[in-house]
Amino acid sequence: MTLMDQIPNNVDLGSDKKLMRALMRWQPDFLNWWRDMGPEGFQADQVWLRTAISVEANGWAHYDYVKMPDYRWGIFLAPAASETIGFGDHKGQPTWDEVPGEMRGVLRRIIVTQADTEPASVEQQRQLGRTAPSLYDMRNLFQVNVEEGRHLWAMVHLLQQYFGRDGREEADALLRRRSGDADTPRILSTFNERTDDWLSFFMFTTFTDRDGKFQLSALSESGFAPLARATKFMLTEEAFHLFCGEQGVERVLRRGAELTMRDPNGDARKHGGIDLETIQKYINFWYSSSLDLFGSEISSNAADSFAASIKGRHRESRYDDHQALNESYSLPVIEQGRVVNQTVPLRNALNEVLRDEYVKDCERVMERWNASLAETGTDFRVSLPSRRFRRTVGLYSAHTFDPQGNLISDAEFRARKNDWLPCADDYAHVHSLMKPVYEPGKYASWIAPPSKGVKGQPLDYEYVKRT
Ligand code: BYC
Ligand code: FE
Ligand code: FE
């Protein structure tokens, strides 16, 4: 088999001997990592997966049974959106096909940070197949996992092609860090959290993959064309990850509401469901954790990478001033125990600008979940906590806030913590429900079945053939 057969691509891999050698050397290490750290217990099973075979709209049409270690992780760049740079100090200049010398450090840091999240998420989710609530859900989990594996390939390709020896070393290090490890953890906070129950998985794909959507969007108009084109194609896969999360939580909410109303005392737990209060606590946990992924509200890193035309805003074309030099941004800060507004130059607030877009998108998710809850007849509604709640990065991390965003004492936070965040008892209940359901068409008690199957297949399709 030639390399081209093993690695579907549209980057003319075959023509660059040095790159091909680097990728050939990295591939067995990747496969070893996948066997050790990828989905545990299902590597020999046939999974009905889609594989990207081109960047055309029909490039995703390829669905078939495949064993995960045989998945063809491809390298694809979307067509360039523009020949000229759209923002920052280099606005209007031609995009770069190579890394400008003075930007090496900044670009490498961003690409490595992005890359690191991809294998991290696979590691976090590796045990979930064992407790899948259905074959449908199991297949979706594995689809997300192989695509995060492909995102790693996409970033490793950039590192190996454009960053020489440093890039090759970074590519190796990506396979050595481990999510949650005390000595060699993954880079960003959320990617070291435990994600070992399915409600956490659905929250992760709703809130944490959604950070991916906005970070990738901010990179998809980068002046460094290969990065822009790689991230643009990654975004097409992200839509499915977000669907998995949103639809997953929606089904858990719906079932939770139904079981609550069925019980005379409103106790969903008694009937093998997850109560709505616990689901709200999971929202509080994963949303606040994912907000940290946007970095500090006031950040010179963000100003620098925007100035360098490396990282822009979500849909930069909607803005009028693509230099972001003349405007300012006002945000609440804490001074002498009070919340007051501070104004900073816009470029220094770009992490917050991106977070604003993220918050709006999450609010739209809440509206859809609440519409679904309303249909069941319950009065319960879910909501997002304040963006100041439980932060560990940035301005608000030095203080404690309640979910409404009011400044409170540490002691009060500790006293109320179990009302706001999942506690040992909540986790124990959720974990007690995590029993596998592997019969085609059957679903666990705590989750409603989806409204339709994958790609026109019926709900009782054998999405995973166990061996
Ligand atoms: N945890 O100026 P600051 C995805 C570090 S998700 C730990 O505040 P900056 C996916 C920061 O690195 C998308 N450390 O922030 C989803 C810096 O450290 P150094 C991933 C943190 O740099 C699901 C220091 O604090 N992509 O794709 O403006 C499944 C001060 O930094 C955290 C990206 O993140 C944290 N939460 O912005 C699979 C895009 N936050 O360098 C995949 C690339 C900050 O001083 N990354 N720090 O040692 C970036 O653009 C930026 O690095 C960040 C931070 C937005 C993350
Ligand atoms: Fe990804
Ligand atoms: Fe994703």
Side-chain angles (χ1 to χ4, degrees):
M1 215 161 51
T2 68
L3 184 71
M4 302 300 250
D5 294 327
Q6 292 178 43
I7 312 176
N9 72 90
N10 70 348
V11 297
D12 199 12
L13 265 191
S15 71
D16 186 336
K17 293 282 172 305
K18 205 165 168 189
L19 171 64
M20 221 161 91
R21 266 204 309 278
L23 283 170
M24 289 293 257
R25 201 178 54 77
W26 189 79
Q27 187 189 38
D29 293 340
F30 169 82
L31 280 175
N32 283 336
W33 167 82
W34 180 270
R35 288 204 182 85
D36 289 349
M37 299 310 295
E40 199 178 284
F42 298 88
Q43 303 270 354
D45 295 340
Q46 300 278 350
V47 188
W48 203 63
L49 294 173
R50 67 173 187 181
T51 304
I53 49 172
S54 80
V55 296
E56 318 311 321
N58 64 2
W60 277 115
H62 195 80
Y63 281 76
D64 206 349
Y65 283 106
V66 50
K67 289 184 192 169
M68 284 185 278
D70 299 337
Y71 189 77
R72 292 161 79 237
W73 284 280
I75 297 174
F76 297 101
L77 300 184
S82 164
E83 305 278 292
T84 52
I85 298 172
F87 65 90
D89 292 348
H90 305 274
K91 181 178 154 38
Q93 297 170 13
T95 57
W96 317 303
D97 289 326
E98 296 291 332
V99 179
E102 70 278 17
M103 292 174 195
R104 256 182 112 75
V106 181
L107 257 174
R108 174 176 144 188
R109 183 175 149 275
I110 285 185
I111 293 171
V112 167
T113 308
Q114 175 64 50
D116 191 68
T117 63
E118 316 288 0
S121 68
V122 174
E123 292 167 357
Q124 286 170 293
Q125 296 163 15
R126 64 195 287 261
Q127 301 288 354
L128 290 170
R130 296 194 184 284
T131 56
S134 71
L135 289 185
Y136 165 89
D137 290 290
M138 184 193 279
R139 177 258 165 221
N140 285 352
L141 164 72
F142 294 157
Q143 183 73 60
V144 170
N145 292 159
V146 294
E147 286 173 4
E148 300 301 8
R150 203 202 67 75
H151 291 177
L152 173 60
W153 272 91
M155 292 296 107
V156 162
H157 162 245
L158 296 182
L159 288 169
Q160 293 191 332
Q161 177 154 14
Y162 298 101
F163 293 84
R165 195 192 161 132
D166 294 349
R168 291 194 291 277
E169 281 170 8
E170 294 284 16
D172 294 343
L174 284 163
L175 297 176
R176 283 199 302 269
R177 285 187 288 272
R178 289 286 179 271
S179 175
D181 190 280
D183 301 318
T184 55
R186 290 297 174 180
I187 297 170
L188 298 174
S189 49
T190 312
F191 296 90
N192 292 301
E193 296 287 0
R194 285 177 60 177
T195 314
D196 53 2
D197 66 68
W198 277 78
L199 186 55
S200 293
F201 169 67
F202 292 137
M203 293 290 171
F204 184 96
T205 38
T206 297
F207 293 113
T208 309
D209 281 80
R210 187 165 260 95
D211 169 51
K213 167 180 167 182
F214 285 90
Q215 297 296 341
L216 293 170
S217 171
L219 295 172
S220 69
E221 295 176 48
S222 180
F224 180 46
L227 176 62
R229 297 172 57 197
T231 49
K232 194 151 178 261
F233 187 66
M234 288 156 75
L235 277 168
T236 62
E237 290 154 309
E238 220 47 69
F240 173 70
H241 307 179
L242 298 176
F243 162 80
C244 257
E246 179 168 341
Q247 174 269 31
V249 174
E250 192 269 337
R251 289 160 55 206
V252 185
L253 281 168
R254 199 140 41 83
R255 177 48 54 92
E258 283 160 11
L259 295 175
T260 305
M261 289 185 295
R262 186 182 301 175
D263 187 76
N265 301 316
D267 186 356
R269 289 190 180 191
K270 222 169 80 189
H271 303 271
I274 304 178
D275 50 296
L276 301 174
E277 292 77 11
T278 298
I279 302 174
Q280 176 65 56
K281 292 185 200 178
Y282 270 67
I283 293 173
N284 294 348
F285 179 90
W286 286 101
Y287 174 68
S288 56
S289 179
S290 303
L291 283 174
D292 278 342
L293 295 172
F294 290 82
S296 305
E297 287 71 15
I298 302 172
S299 165
S300 56
N301 284 339
D304 291 347
S305 52
F306 186 88
S309 302
I310 288 174
K311 186 176 171 186
R313 287 171 287 192
H314 178 55
R315 302 204 186 126
E316 180 63 42
S317 59
R318 289 174 314 165
Y319 294 91
D320 293 328
D321 170 14
H322 299 295
Q323 308 272 4
L325 271 177
N326 305 321
E327 289 167 67
S328 54
Y329 188 97
S330 170
L331 75 173
V333 301
I334 314 307
E335 261 172 28
Q336 285 149 6
R338 288 187 318 126
V339 182
V340 296
N341 274 338
Q342 182 184 332
T343 300
V344 297
L346 184 58
R347 280 191 177 186
N348 289 85
L350 288 174
N351 284 344
E352 193 63 0
V353 169
L354 195 59
R355 190 163 18 231
D356 284 336
E357 294 296 319
Y358 172 82
V359 169
K360 276 192 256 169
D361 208 38
C362 290
E363 275 162 0
R364 288 190 285 267
V365 175
M366 295 307 118
E367 284 167 21
R368 293 191 290 266
W369 285 348
N370 281 332
S372 197
L373 280 172
E375 271 175 28
T376 69
T378 180
D379 293 332
F380 195 96
R381 297 291 180 266
V382 289
S383 60
L384 296 173
S386 159
R387 72 173 79 188
R388 294 176 220 155
F389 176 69
R390 202 186 77 93
R391 294 289 302 281
T392 66
V393 169
L395 277 177
Y396 307 119
S397 62
H399 306 273
T400 40
F401 300 87
D402 67 13
Q404 285 70 45
N406 302 307
L407 192 58
I408 57 171
S409 68
D410 281 4
E412 190 176 353
F413 186 87
R414 280 196 304 275
R416 299 291 312 276
K417 197 168 161 249
N418 290 350
D419 298 337
W420 296 332
L421 295 164
C423 59
D425 176 56
D426 300 325
Y427 283 123
H429 175 67
V430 172
H431 284 249
S432 77
L433 297 175
M434 298 295 125
K435 304 261 166 54
V437 177
Y438 292 162
E439 200 183 317
K442 292 271 189 310
Y443 291 82
S445 63
W446 53 272
I447 187 165
S451 54
K452 57 181 188 342
V454 183
K455 190 75 184 166
Q457 298 292 357
L459 287 185
D460 62 357
Y461 190 68
E462 194 174 7
Y463 289 107
V464 181
K465 286 188 183 156
R466 309 290 324 274
T467 46

